[in-house]
Amino acid sequence: MGNSIAYGINHLLSLASRPQGILICLADQPLMTSDYLNLMVENFIQNPNRIIATNYTQKTGVPALFPITFYEKLSQLKDDYGAKEILKRYRKETIGLNAGKGIIDIDTKAAYEQLITDTQ
C-alpha cells in the first residue's frame, strides 16, 4: 500500500500543475458514500492546510484527504504501511470526520458474506 501511494504521489510531483490535495481511499470499504467523500472535500476547501481524515475508535484513517504540503512525506512511503504513521504523527494538523458505517472494511470472504447478510 505504501509503495502504491508513493508511486501515485511521485507521479503528481512530476506534473507541472499539481492538485491542491489528494484523497486516499480503500477499495474494500463498500459502504463509503459519495456524500461522505463530498463532505471531506467541503472540509478541505475550508481548511486547505489540514489533513481531513476519517475517525475510527481511537485514531484517524482513510479515506483521508492530504494537502499538497504532505506530498513529499507521502512520496516516501514504503511497503504495506500506507499513510497511518503520517496521520499519527500529524494528529494536530488533522480534522477527523465520522463516516458512520462507511468505515466497514471487507478483507475476507467471511466478512463479505456477513456484510451481505447484515444488509438484507
Side-chain angles (χ1 to χ4, degrees), residues 12 21-22 24 29-30 34 45 53 58 72 74 79 81 96:
L12 290 177
I22 182 167
I24 297 175
Q29 291 181 309
S34 59
I45 290 168
Q58 295 183 1
E72 194 65 38
L74 291 165
D79 303 320
Y81 297 107

Side-chain angles (χ1 to χ4, degrees), residues 8-27:
I9 294 294
N10 281 312
H11 174 71
L12 290 177
L13 290 171
S14 74
L15 300 176
S17 177
R18 298 176 184 158
Q20 294 302 301
I22 182 167
L23 176 63
I24 297 175
C25 298
L26 298 177

Side-chain angles (χ1 to χ4, degrees), residues 40-58:
M40 293 184 80
V41 171
E42 289 170 17
N43 274 268
F44 182 74
I45 290 168
Q46 295 170 7
N47 302 280
N49 297 314
R50 306 277 301 271
I51 299 169
I52 309 300
T54 301
N55 284 331
Y56 288 80
T57 305
Q58 295 183 1

